[in-house]
Amino acid sequence: MFPERFPYSVEISQTPSPYVMPQSLWEEVTRKRSDIRNIHKGLDRKVGSSECQQRCQDGEGHEARVSETEEKLDVTVGSMWIMAGKVKWVTDIEKSVLINNFEKRGWVQVAENEDWNFYWMSVQTIRNVFSVETGYRLSDDQIVNHFPNHYELTRKDLMVKNIKRYRKELEKEGSPLAEKDENGKYLYLDFVPVTYMLPADYNLFVEEFRKNPSSTWIMKPCGKAQGKGIFLINKLSQIKKWSRDSKTSSFVSQSTKEAYVISLYINNPLLIGGKKFDLRLYVLVSTYRPLRCYMYKLGFCRFCTVKYTRSTSELDNMFVHLTNVAIQKHGEDYNHIHGGKWTVSNLRLYLESTRGKEVTNKLFDEIHWIIVQSLKAVAPVMNNDKHCFECYGYDIIIDDKLKPWLIEERGSGLSVCRWLELSPLGSLTSSELSPQMRAQWPRCPRVARKVNASPSLSSSTASDRVLKYGLVSDTLNIAVPGGMVPDCRWNKSPPKEVLGNYEILEERGHTCCRPSVPTLAAGSPVAPATRTAVCWPSARPSLPASLATRSTMQ
């Protein structure tokens, strides 16, 4: 009967697998079949032996009736089994690249107040799910796309604090990674621009500023985004308005004022065609302890539409300094076909032809290295909930010496850490602006950057749609193995064949890149450990016709 029709149902393993029927469903089937037999036995005793014999002769005896009822049960259970394998999903981010991926897998959409297995949620919703007041408890068959305290990485001040703590801990341990040069700069952990928190570190900032009075700094409130409150400074007098006493060197914030971060602006970026650009790279973290992270190979570069200049007269020109599409699409020279973007593979080809393959490989190894180190910096304080994964969007700037800098990271909306660069109009009123800035005020949107817990899933070009659809698809293949109902007890080390365009950055304490760092006795960058294959069926759906528009980006 049922076991023959559903061969996988009899394999009730202690180790959950997407191939076998859930233990709870099998137990329910067993109980129902036992109840059926007991009911029919009771009926046979009531009708008497002579009537029972007659019904048996007519083929309606106990066993026949039990078999008939069990056949109906098998059909019912079959439907239950099919539905048990359907992932029930919810999202509060209405993006086609998400919904098309869910629907292509045959998943079932449900309401937020119904039972769900997979919730792709915004950072605001995740706060409610894990808040103490809500008291919501996730079951083993539910997963979400953010870690509870993702802000340890995606909030600017907390990320800097965690990286500084990480450096100090390595120094105490005597790790060669914390080695400094004669000027006191880290040799291997200097991947974030010099940054201070205001008002707490104001005196330290002033001391640093006076060492190089010609430097330019970018300032932004810690708790805001979309360019609110961001501005660029190259004089101490430009931040005196935040001080109670502008005649002293002390900086004391009023109780009504917010905390700010202020970072050294990278004013010597690598230019291509005379224009500034940055890299957007996607990194998936399935668990922080042990750290398992994956780099998406199909990142892209974003270019400014106006040639770069260090002239102070152009400090307020967003089209020179900001690579964000939300800014650049308002420029006169913006190209709506390719969106001012270049694939990372094209960047590699360009660098290999102009700088050499060895130098290019070293650059990308260093990029991978700083991403892993930023994740290790927050791993000890991250709430490593088994129901969570996160896809971060990292923004990297390369300077003219081919040194990569982590400028921002945004977390999943898709889960990266991006630093603010510039939005000089963010916190000023029109009366405080120069005539040139006032002229730009009406047409310049406000945009901020940080390490994001929700990198944008919006698509500005056909290439964007293809890339982000594939990104979500490959992310789901790792986070929801086989497209089956998730189980948090599964092994979170997928085999290589399901990674798609992801490649392993860190697994089981082994960093899968080889930057120029000292060799350590333990925990040194080595080749990836042998990965144990687990039964995770690959469920990579084909691209919907609506997204399969031929890319025009060369």
Side-chain angles (χ1 to χ4, degrees):
M1 299 298 294
F2 182 85
E4 287 71 29
R5 296 184 185 182
F6 301 91
Y8 299 113
S9 66
V10 296
E11 182 188 344
I12 305 301
S13 172
Q14 294 299 320
T15 303
S17 164
Y19 287 111
V20 301
M21 177 178 287
Q23 179 74 34
S24 58
L25 179 55
W26 175 251
E27 291 174 351
E28 183 179 353
V29 171
T30 304
R31 284 195 302 269
K32 287 188 176 181
R33 297 185 73 169
S34 177
D35 291 344
I36 289 170
R37 290 186 174 273
N38 291 334
I39 290 172
H40 282 293
K41 285 180 180 178
L43 289 174
D44 287 343
R45 285 195 295 269
K46 288 183 179 181
V47 299
S49 59
S50 60
E51 185 175 349
C52 180
Q53 292 174 1
Q54 180 63 39
R55 292 180 63 179
C56 286
Q57 293 174 1
D58 296 337
E60 299 178 357
H62 168 72
E63 290 299 329
R65 287 182 288 111
V66 169
S67 298
E68 179 184 351
T69 309
E70 284 184 342
E71 286 180 0
K72 294 179 180 179
L73 173 63
D74 286 354
V75 173
T76 302
V77 171
S79 300
M80 293 170 60
W81 173 230
I82 292 173
M83 290 307 296
K86 295 283 188 180
V87 175
K88 296 184 282 291
W89 62 272
V90 187
T91 184
D92 57 359
I93 302 174
E94 296 296 325
K95 295 296 182 182
S96 61
V97 293
L98 281 177
I99 296 173
N100 287 340
N101 263 292
F102 299 154
E103 293 178 346
K104 194 68 178 181
R105 286 167 166 74
W107 293 359
V108 180
Q109 184 176 12
V110 296
E112 185 180 357
N113 57 358
E114 298 180 273
D115 289 337
W116 51 267
N117 306 117
F118 185 88
Y119 199 149
W120 193 291
M121 58 181 65
S122 64
V123 292
Q124 292 78 17
T125 304
I126 199 70
R127 294 192 190 103
N128 297 330
V129 169
F130 287 103
S131 69
V132 177
E133 293 78 12
T134 303
Y136 193 86
R137 188 179 184 87
L138 296 179
S139 60
D140 282 345
D141 64 350
Q142 291 181 310
I143 60 173
V144 295
N145 64 315
H146 289 290
F147 287 94
N149 59 335
H150 61 86
Y151 46 80
E152 294 286 351
L153 180 63
T154 60
R155 184 177 160 105
K156 291 166 288 300
D157 55 337
L158 294 180
M159 188 198 74
V160 172
K161 178 181 177 181
N162 286 318
I163 289 177
K164 289 182 177 180
R165 175 188 48 76
Y166 177 63
R167 290 167 172 170
K168 290 184 180 299
E169 288 176 353
L170 290 178
E171 282 187 69
K172 289 180 181 178
E173 295 170 2
S175 171
L177 295 180
E179 186 180 347
K180 296 181 179 180
D181 62 14
E182 61 276 7
N183 297 320
K185 290 186 177 181
Y186 289 96
L187 293 176
Y188 311 111
L189 297 176
D190 181 31
F191 54 82
V192 175
V194 177
T195 302
Y196 297 98
M197 268 75 76
L198 299 182
D201 298 333
Y202 179 73
N203 290 333
L204 293 175
F205 161 69
V206 171
E207 183 180 347
E208 182 69 26
F209 185 92
R210 286 174 176 166
K211 291 179 183 178
N212 187 7
S214 61
S215 59
T216 301
W217 297 73
I218 173 174
M219 191 168 175
K220 183 182 184 294
C222 297
K224 290 185 178 181
Q226 298 182 343
K228 297 176 181 177
I230 307 172
F231 57 98
L232 202 70
I233 70 164
N234 57 5
K235 296 179 182 178
L236 284 176
S237 59
Q238 291 170 293
I239 60 172
K240 288 295 184 179
K241 62 179 180 178
W242 281 274
S243 175
R244 284 181 178 175
D245 186 2
S246 61
K247 297 181 181 180
T248 68
S249 60
S250 61
F251 182 94
V252 182
S253 175
Q254 299 174 6
S255 59
T256 57
K257 291 189 180 294
E258 308 175 74
Y260 277 70
V261 292
I262 187 164
S263 303
L264 187 65
Y265 181 64
I266 306 299
N267 63 357
N268 62 326
L270 177 67
L271 306 178
I272 296 180
K275 296 178 181 178
K276 179 182 175 180
F277 69 95
D278 69 358
L279 278 70
R280 162 54 64 89
L281 303 172
Y282 295 100
V283 177
L284 173 65
V285 177
S286 59
T287 173
Y288 274 97
R289 293 187 295 277
L291 179 61
R292 291 196 184 101
C293 56
Y294 311 86
M295 167 72 76
Y296 198 64
K297 292 181 282 188
L298 305 182
F300 55 89
C301 310
R302 301 175 301 183
F303 284 81
C304 292
T305 56
V306 178
K307 289 189 175 183
Y308 181 77
T309 176
R310 296 188 187 184
S311 172
T312 56
S313 64
E314 293 291 337
L315 286 181
D316 61 317
N317 190 338
M318 295 183 179
F319 304 118
V320 171
H321 298 281
L322 287 182
T323 60
N324 195 287
V325 175
I327 292 288
Q328 296 299 328
K329 69 181 181 181
H330 296 280
E332 297 178 357
D333 299 322
Y334 179 74
N335 188 311
H336 292 272
I337 297 176
H338 56 66
K341 294 180 180 178
W342 226 19
T343 62
V344 168
S345 59
N346 281 342
L347 174 64
R348 290 196 74 134
L349 288 173
Y350 171 82
L351 292 176
E352 286 175 4
S353 63
T354 57
R355 302 297 184 100
K357 189 170 184 177
E358 184 177 348
V359 172
T360 302
N361 289 339
K362 179 177 180 293
L363 167 65
F364 278 89
D365 278 347
E366 290 179 354
I367 291 174
H368 295 170
W369 168 258
I370 65 178
I371 289 174
V372 170
Q373 297 309 306
S374 70
L375 294 172
K376 286 185 175 181
V378 301
V381 297
M382 193 66 72
N383 184 345
N384 190 46
D385 194 289
K386 65 181 180 179
H387 304 90
C388 306
F389 69 95
E390 196 144 12
C391 179
Y392 298 98
Y394 275 78
D395 290 343
I396 304 290
I397 275 202
I398 305 169
D399 66 23
D400 56 12
K401 297 178 182 178
L402 291 191
K403 176 179 173 60
W405 296 90
L406 173 61
I407 57 171
E408 185 174 1
E409 189 176 8
R410 296 180 183 265
S412 83
L414 206 59
S415 259
V416 164
C417 217
R418 265 181 61 157
W419 276 108
L420 308 171
E421 279 199 25
L422 173 64
S423 177
L425 309 180
S427 64
L428 305 178
T429 63
S430 59
S431 61
E432 297 175 287
L433 303 177
S434 65
Q436 183 180 4
M437 295 172 73
R438 276 198 296 271
Q440 290 188 359
W441 177 273
R443 62 187 178 91
C444 289
R446 298 181 177 183
V447 173
R449 305 182 187 177
K450 53 182 181 178
V451 180
N452 287 295
S454 290
S456 173
L457 290 179
S458 300
S459 302
S460 58
T461 65
S463 299
D464 256 353
R465 289 194 295 274
V466 173
L467 183 148
K468 290 176 181 177
Y469 179 89
L471 172 63
V472 173
S473 179
D474 289 343
T475 300
L476 294 179
N477 286 343
I478 296 175
V480 190
M484 306 296 286
V485 174
D487 192 313
C488 293
R489 296 169 293 177
W490 284 341
N491 187 332
K492 291 192 175 184
S493 294
K496 185 176 180 180
E497 49 268 24
V498 306
L499 296 182
N501 282 307
Y502 275 110
E503 59 182 349
I504 297 173
L505 275 185
E506 173 88 5
E507 185 177 48
R508 298 178 182 176
H510 297 291
T511 303
C512 306
C513 56
R514 296 175 181 269
S516 301
V517 296
T519 302
L520 306 178
S524 61
V526 294
T530 302
R531 292 178 290 278
T532 304
V534 293
C535 295
W536 283 17
S538 178
R540 186 180 179 131
S542 58
L543 196 66
S546 60
L547 294 179
T549 307
R550 181 179 178 85
S551 171
T552 57
M553 182 169 61
Q554 301 298 320

